Amino acid sequence: MNAEFVNPFIGGLLNVLETMAQTTLTPGKPKKKSDDVAHGDVSGLIGMLGPNVKGSMSITFDEALILAIMQNMLGEASSEIDAEVADMVGEITNMICGNAKRDLAEKGYEFGMATPVVVSGKQHSISHQVDGPKIILPFNHELGKAYLEICFDK
């Protein structure tokens, strides 16, 4: 997969969490992913479709990390992944994709964004529904990990 597609999503994730949740993540090493099993506890998945690109992106968080992000973003504490946490994950997913959409539009790649879907639970599935290579990028934080998955038909 082309770094031209991947970098706007990485930048979007880091920017959204630093500005909205005062949370800094450290990127790990990207690798190909072949299954649909999520590596964390709650995921936001969003599809993208345009005249010259079709893809999807997901962001998955470990529970302790997303609960800290919720506290930082909204000033509300939660002891578990509930409906409010799920809503926030959907919003984070939207913001990351929106950042990437803006950056990719400058490179000539226009696409519309679907409504994010949020899934939670141990070993939940993330179905990208795009026939293309999947890449997973881990991000580290002292409270846990986040995993960005990107799949494009290019």
Side-chain angles (χ1 to χ4, degrees):
M1 186 177 304
N2 190 328
E4 182 177 42
F5 277 85
V6 176
N7 289 338
F9 292 95
I10 294 170
L13 170 62
L14 296 174
N15 179 44
V16 166
L17 290 183
E18 285 174 10
T19 58
M20 302 298 290
Q22 299 77 49
T23 302
T24 302
L25 300 179
T26 305
K29 186 177 179 185
K31 58 185 176 186
K32 280 188 166 185
K33 187 175 183 217
S34 56
D35 62 15
D36 289 342
V37 179
H39 289 249
D41 300 309
V42 60
S43 300
L45 173 67
I46 191 166
M48 299 163 276
L49 183 62
N52 56 356
V53 65
K54 179 181 178 188
S56 61
M57 178 218 85
S58 70
I59 181 68
T60 303
F61 297 96
D62 286 344
E63 184 174 33
L65 178 56
I66 198 61
L67 295 179
I69 289 170
M70 173 121 178
Q71 175 72 43
N72 290 352
M73 268 183 90
L74 305 177
E76 297 176 18
S78 186
S79 60
E80 63 184 5
I81 296 170
D82 57 16
E84 287 185 33
V85 174
D87 285 348
M88 185 190 64
V89 169
E91 286 302 317
I92 290 170
T93 304
N94 241 343
M95 289 187 278
I96 294 167
C97 194
N99 270 261
K101 177 181 177 173
R102 181 195 62 230
D103 292 351
L104 287 169
E106 292 172 4
K107 294 176 168 66
Y109 298 102
E110 299 283 344
F111 58 83
M113 295 168 26
T115 301
V117 174
V118 177
V119 185
S120 64
K122 300 285 183 201
Q123 300 284 298
H124 64 271
S125 293
I126 301 171
S127 181
H128 285 275
Q129 302 191 358
V130 176
D131 189 22
K134 246 186 304 195
I135 184 169
I136 184 168
L137 300 103
F139 291 83
N140 301 303
H141 185 273
E142 62 190 20
L143 295 174
K145 290 184 179 277
Y147 300 90
L148 182 66
E149 293 184 24
I150 304 165
C151 184
F152 278 102
D153 64 353
K154 292 207 162 275

